[in-house]
Amino acid sequence: MARKRMGYGFLLLALLLLQIFLEEYIATYLLLFFLLLPFLALLLLLIEGQGIEVAVCLRDAAAQRKEEVPLIFALKGPRCFFPGLLRVTLVVENTLFAEKQVERLWLPVCQNRQKVEQLLASEHCGHVRVQLTEARLYDHLGFFSRRVSQE
C-alpha cells in the first residue's frame, strides 16, 4: 500500500506542476479529479464493505505429500456495486508434523454471493487444518482497507 500511496503522491506532484506551468482549465480539472478520487474510493469502501462475510471450507483434510488441497472461500454480502480485493490471512497446520505456516491470499470480490476455490500445496502428508485469522477488503486504489467479519 505504501508504494501505491507514493505513486499517487508523485502523480499529484506532476499534476500540480502541470497546473503551474500550463495554466489551462484542463489541468485544473485533472488536478481536482485526482484530488477527489481517494475520497470517492473511501466512500465506496465504507458503503459497500458493510455486511460482507467470508468463510473458509476445506473439502478434504487428509493430504498426501506434494498434493494440492482445494480450499473453498464463501463470500457473502448484501450488495456488490463495488468489486474490490479481499486479502485473507490463513494459518495452515499439519497436525501430523506439528508444522504451521501463514498464507496470505488475494481474492477478487465480484458478486454478492460467490465461492472461490484456491489450491493449497502441502509439503508433507497428514491431516491439514486451516484457520482464517484475518480478512481485509481493499479498494482498487489500494489506499484504504476494512476488516471483514468471519463466519
Side-chain angles (χ1 to χ4, degrees):
M1 276 188 7
R3 278 190 285 166
K4 290 187 178 188
R5 288 180 183 165
M6 253 179 39
Y8 178 72
F10 286 133
L11 178 69
L12 284 182
L13 181 66
L15 286 172
L16 186 64
L17 290 175
L18 183 72
Q19 171 66 32
I20 290 171
F21 291 120
L22 193 57
E23 295 181 8
E24 298 262 338
Y25 70 93
I26 192 74
T28 307
Y29 289 148
L30 280 173
L31 183 63
L32 286 175
F33 174 74
F34 281 103
L35 280 174
L36 294 177
L37 192 62
F39 296 110
L40 179 65
L42 177 64
L43 181 68
L44 284 174
L45 180 69
L46 291 175
I47 291 172
E48 292 295 324
Q50 293 176 348
I52 293 180
E53 296 177 352
V54 62
V56 62
C57 307
L58 186 62
R59 261 194 214 158
D60 191 22
Q64 301 294 325
R65 185 174 180 191
K66 302 284 186 186
E67 180 186 10
E68 292 183 337
V69 179
L71 287 173
I72 297 176
F73 295 95
L75 306 170
K76 288 189 254 178
R79 59 195 169 274
C80 193
F81 171 69
F82 171 69
L85 289 174
L86 186 72
R87 187 185 77 182
V88 178
T89 305
L90 302 168
V91 175
V92 181
E93 179 183 6
N94 189 332
T95 57
L96 184 62
F97 288 95
E99 178 183 77
K100 285 186 180 181
Q101 63 184 12
V102 177
E103 298 275 338
R104 286 186 180 84
L105 304 172
W106 289 91
L107 304 171
V109 179
C110 299
Q111 303 168 355
N112 59 354
R113 290 188 184 274
Q114 75 179 40
K115 291 189 181 209
V116 178
E117 184 173 321
Q118 182 76 24
L119 295 176
L120 182 70
S122 177
E123 279 294 316
H124 307 287
C125 61
H127 185 266
V128 178
R129 185 179 303 157
V130 177
Q131 179 185 4
L132 181 66
T133 57
E134 184 184 27
R136 296 190 76 81
L137 181 67
Y138 285 84
D139 64 336
H140 283 294
L141 296 176
F143 294 160
F144 307 107
S145 67
R146 180 186 184 142
R147 282 184 160 257
V148 174
S149 62
Q150 306 166 17
E151 284 185 5

mmCIF file of all heavy atoms in Angstrom, residues 28-45:
data_model
loop_
_atom_site.group_PDB
_atom_site.id
_atom_site.type_symbol
_atom_site.label_atom_id
_atom_site.label_comp_id
_atom_site.label_asym_id
_atom_site.label_seq_id
_atom_site.Cartn_x
_atom_site.Cartn_y
_atom_site.Cartn_z
ATOM 1 N N THR A 28 -6.505 22.133 -14.364
ATOM 2 C CA THR A 28 -7.237 22.332 -13.111
ATOM 3 C C THR A 28 -8.249 21.213 -12.895
ATOM 4 O O THR A 28 -8.367 20.682 -11.787
ATOM 5 C CB THR A 28 -7.968 23.691 -13.121
ATOM 6 O OG1 THR A 28 -7.024 24.715 -13.426
ATOM 7 C CG2 THR A 28 -8.615 23.974 -11.779
ATOM 8 N N TYR A 29 -8.965 20.839 -13.945
ATOM 9 C CA TYR A 29 -9.939 19.757 -13.826
ATOM 10 C C TYR A 29 -9.260 18.418 -13.508
ATOM 11 O O TYR A 29 -9.779 17.635 -12.713
ATOM 12 C CB TYR A 29 -10.762 19.627 -15.105
ATOM 13 C CG TYR A 29 -11.730 20.763 -15.319
ATOM 14 C CD1 TYR A 29 -12.060 21.187 -16.592
ATOM 15 C CD2 TYR A 29 -12.305 21.432 -14.252
ATOM 16 C CE1 TYR A 29 -12.938 22.226 -16.805
ATOM 17 C CE2 TYR A 29 -13.189 22.473 -14.449
ATOM 18 C CZ TYR A 29 -13.502 22.872 -15.727
ATOM 19 O OH TYR A 29 -14.377 23.897 -15.920
ATOM 20 N N LEU A 30 -8.127 18.159 -14.133
ATOM 21 C CA LEU A 30 -7.392 16.932 -13.842
ATOM 22 C C LEU A 30 -6.916 16.894 -12.395
ATOM 23 O O LEU A 30 -7.017 15.873 -11.717
ATOM 24 C CB LEU A 30 -6.197 16.778 -14.781
ATOM 25 C CG LEU A 30 -6.472 16.245 -16.165
ATOM 26 C CD1 LEU A 30 -5.227 16.320 -17.027
ATOM 27 C CD2 LEU A 30 -6.979 14.827 -16.101
ATOM 28 N N LEU A 31 -6.406 18.022 -11.912
ATOM 29 C CA LEU A 31 -5.937 18.087 -10.528
ATOM 30 C C LEU A 31 -7.094 17.883 -9.557
ATOM 31 O O LEU A 31 -6.976 17.125 -8.592
ATOM 32 C CB LEU A 31 -5.245 19.431 -10.273
ATOM 33 C CG LEU A 31 -4.640 19.623 -8.897
ATOM 34 C CD1 LEU A 31 -3.535 18.612 -8.662
ATOM 35 C CD2 LEU A 31 -4.131 21.030 -8.722
ATOM 36 N N LEU A 32 -8.224 18.508 -9.804
ATOM 37 C CA LEU A 32 -9.394 18.324 -8.934
ATOM 38 C C LEU A 32 -9.911 16.893 -8.969
ATOM 39 O O LEU A 32 -10.295 16.334 -7.935
ATOM 40 C CB LEU A 32 -10.505 19.298 -9.320
ATOM 41 C CG LEU A 32 -10.278 20.749 -8.926
ATOM 42 C CD1 LEU A 32 -11.389 21.624 -9.479
ATOM 43 C CD2 LEU A 32 -10.183 20.884 -7.429
ATOM 44 N N PHE A 33 -9.934 16.293 -10.153
ATOM 45 C CA PHE A 33 -10.400 14.911 -10.269
ATOM 46 C C PHE A 33 -9.526 13.966 -9.453
ATOM 47 O O PHE A 33 -10.020 13.119 -8.710
ATOM 48 C CB PHE A 33 -10.435 14.488 -11.742
ATOM 49 C CG PHE A 33 -10.764 13.043 -11.926
ATOM 50 C CD1 PHE A 33 -12.059 12.581 -11.743
ATOM 51 C CD2 PHE A 33 -9.771 12.131 -12.272
ATOM 52 C CE1 PHE A 33 -12.361 11.236 -11.906
ATOM 53 C CE2 PHE A 33 -10.065 10.799 -12.440
ATOM 54 C CZ PHE A 33 -11.358 10.350 -12.258
ATOM 55 N N PHE A 34 -8.210 14.101 -9.600
ATOM 56 C CA PHE A 34 -7.310 13.198 -8.883
ATOM 57 C C PHE A 34 -7.212 13.521 -7.399
ATOM 58 O O PHE A 34 -6.806 12.673 -6.613
ATOM 59 C CB PHE A 34 -5.929 13.176 -9.544
ATOM 60 C CG PHE A 34 -5.892 12.315 -10.764
ATOM 61 C CD1 PHE A 34 -5.922 12.873 -12.030
ATOM 62 C CD2 PHE A 34 -5.864 10.939 -10.652
ATOM 63 C CE1 PHE A 34 -5.906 12.078 -13.150
ATOM 64 C CE2 PHE A 34 -5.857 10.127 -11.769
ATOM 65 C CZ PHE A 34 -5.879 10.699 -13.026
ATOM 66 N N LEU A 35 -7.572 14.724 -6.991
ATOM 67 C CA LEU A 35 -7.660 15.027 -5.561
ATOM 68 C C LEU A 35 -8.895 14.408 -4.926
ATOM 69 O O LEU A 35 -8.873 14.001 -3.773
ATOM 70 C CB LEU A 35 -7.667 16.542 -5.333
ATOM 71 C CG LEU A 35 -6.325 17.239 -5.373
ATOM 72 C CD1 LEU A 35 -6.516 18.743 -5.278
ATOM 73 C CD2 LEU A 35 -5.428 16.752 -4.258
ATOM 74 N N LEU A 36 -9.984 14.328 -5.684
ATOM 75 C CA LEU A 36 -11.239 13.786 -5.153
ATOM 76 C C LEU A 36 -11.350 12.270 -5.297
ATOM 77 O O LEU A 36 -12.205 11.654 -4.653
ATOM 78 C CB LEU A 36 -12.436 14.456 -5.834
ATOM 79 C CG LEU A 36 -12.606 15.939 -5.535
ATOM 80 C CD1 LEU A 36 -13.768 16.506 -6.327
ATOM 81 C CD2 LEU A 36 -12.795 16.176 -4.056
ATOM 82 N N LEU A 37 -10.518 11.662 -6.096
ATOM 83 C CA LEU A 37 -10.592 10.217 -6.349
ATOM 84 C C LEU A 37 -10.419 9.363 -5.088
ATOM 85 O O LEU A 37 -11.197 8.427 -4.880
ATOM 86 C CB LEU A 37 -9.577 9.830 -7.424
ATOM 87 C CG LEU A 37 -9.709 8.439 -8.009
ATOM 88 C CD1 LEU A 37 -11.052 8.286 -8.703
ATOM 89 C CD2 LEU A 37 -8.580 8.183 -8.984
ATOM 90 N N PRO A 38 -9.466 9.631 -4.190
ATOM 91 C CA PRO A 38 -9.366 8.812 -2.970
ATOM 92 C C PRO A 38 -10.579 8.935 -2.054
ATOM 93 O O PRO A 38 -10.962 7.962 -1.405
ATOM 94 C CB PRO A 38 -8.116 9.331 -2.267
ATOM 95 C CG PRO A 38 -7.342 10.010 -3.306
ATOM 96 C CD PRO A 38 -8.323 10.527 -4.293
ATOM 97 N N PHE A 39 -11.197 10.104 -2.013
ATOM 98 C CA PHE A 39 -12.391 10.262 -1.179
ATOM 99 C C PHE A 39 -13.554 9.443 -1.732
ATOM 100 O O PHE A 39 -14.334 8.870 -0.968
ATOM 101 C CB PHE A 39 -12.776 11.740 -1.068
ATOM 102 C CG PHE A 39 -11.745 12.558 -0.370
ATOM 103 C CD1 PHE A 39 -10.985 13.469 -1.071
ATOM 104 C CD2 PHE A 39 -11.509 12.391 0.986
ATOM 105 C CE1 PHE A 39 -10.018 14.216 -0.433
ATOM 106 C CE2 PHE A 39 -10.552 13.127 1.638
ATOM 107 C CZ PHE A 39 -9.792 14.043 0.925
ATOM 108 N N LEU A 40 -13.662 9.370 -3.037
ATOM 109 C CA LEU A 40 -14.687 8.533 -3.658
ATOM 110 C C LEU A 40 -14.426 7.054 -3.364
ATOM 111 O O LEU A 40 -15.350 6.298 -3.053
ATOM 112 C CB LEU A 40 -14.718 8.779 -5.163
ATOM 113 C CG LEU A 40 -15.727 7.967 -5.958
ATOM 114 C CD1 LEU A 40 -17.143 8.350 -5.566
ATOM 115 C CD2 LEU A 40 -15.508 8.165 -7.432
ATOM 116 N N ALA A 41 -13.155 6.644 -3.439
ATOM 117 C CA ALA A 41 -12.806 5.247 -3.145
ATOM 118 C C ALA A 41 -13.099 4.907 -1.686
ATOM 119 O O ALA A 41 -13.607 3.826 -1.374
ATOM 120 C CB ALA A 41 -11.334 4.993 -3.462
ATOM 121 N N LEU A 42 -12.805 5.833 -0.767
ATOM 122 C CA LEU A 42 -13.094 5.604 0.647
ATOM 123 C C LEU A 42 -14.587 5.527 0.898
ATOM 124 O O LEU A 42 -15.065 4.653 1.635
ATOM 125 C CB LEU A 42 -12.474 6.712 1.499
ATOM 126 C CG LEU A 42 -12.752 6.639 2.995
ATOM 127 C CD1 LEU A 42 -12.148 5.389 3.590
ATOM 128 C CD2 LEU A 42 -12.236 7.872 3.686
ATOM 129 N N LEU A 43 -15.349 6.391 0.271
ATOM 130 C CA LEU A 43 -16.802 6.378 0.434
ATOM 131 C C LEU A 43 -17.399 5.070 -0.078
ATOM 132 O O LEU A 43 -18.233 4.450 0.597
ATOM 133 C CB LEU A 43 -17.419 7.562 -0.304
ATOM 134 C CG LEU A 43 -18.924 7.717 -0.212
ATOM 135 C CD1 LEU A 43 -19.316 8.073 1.220
ATOM 136 C CD2 LEU A 43 -19.412 8.762 -1.170
ATOM 137 N N LEU A 44 -16.963 4.614 -1.246
ATOM 138 C CA LEU A 44 -17.465 3.342 -1.776
ATOM 139 C C LEU A 44 -17.062 2.166 -0.892
ATOM 140 O O LEU A 44 -17.838 1.236 -0.701
ATOM 141 C CB LEU A 44 -16.956 3.128 -3.195
ATOM 142 C CG LEU A 44 -17.643 3.943 -4.279
ATOM 143 C CD1 LEU A 44 -16.953 3.739 -5.607
ATOM 144 C CD2 LEU A 44 -19.103 3.581 -4.378
ATOM 145 N N LEU A 45 -15.856 2.196 -0.345
ATOM 146 C CA LEU A 45 -15.413 1.120 0.530
ATOM 147 C C LEU A 45 -16.244 1.080 1.807
ATOM 148 O O LEU A 45 -16.631 0.009 2.278
ATOM 149 C CB LEU A 45 -13.931 1.282 0.865
ATOM 150 C CG LEU A 45 -13.339 0.221 1.775
ATOM 151 C CD1 LEU A 45 -13.267 -1.109 1.046
ATOM 152 C CD2 LEU A 45 -11.979 0.634 2.265
#
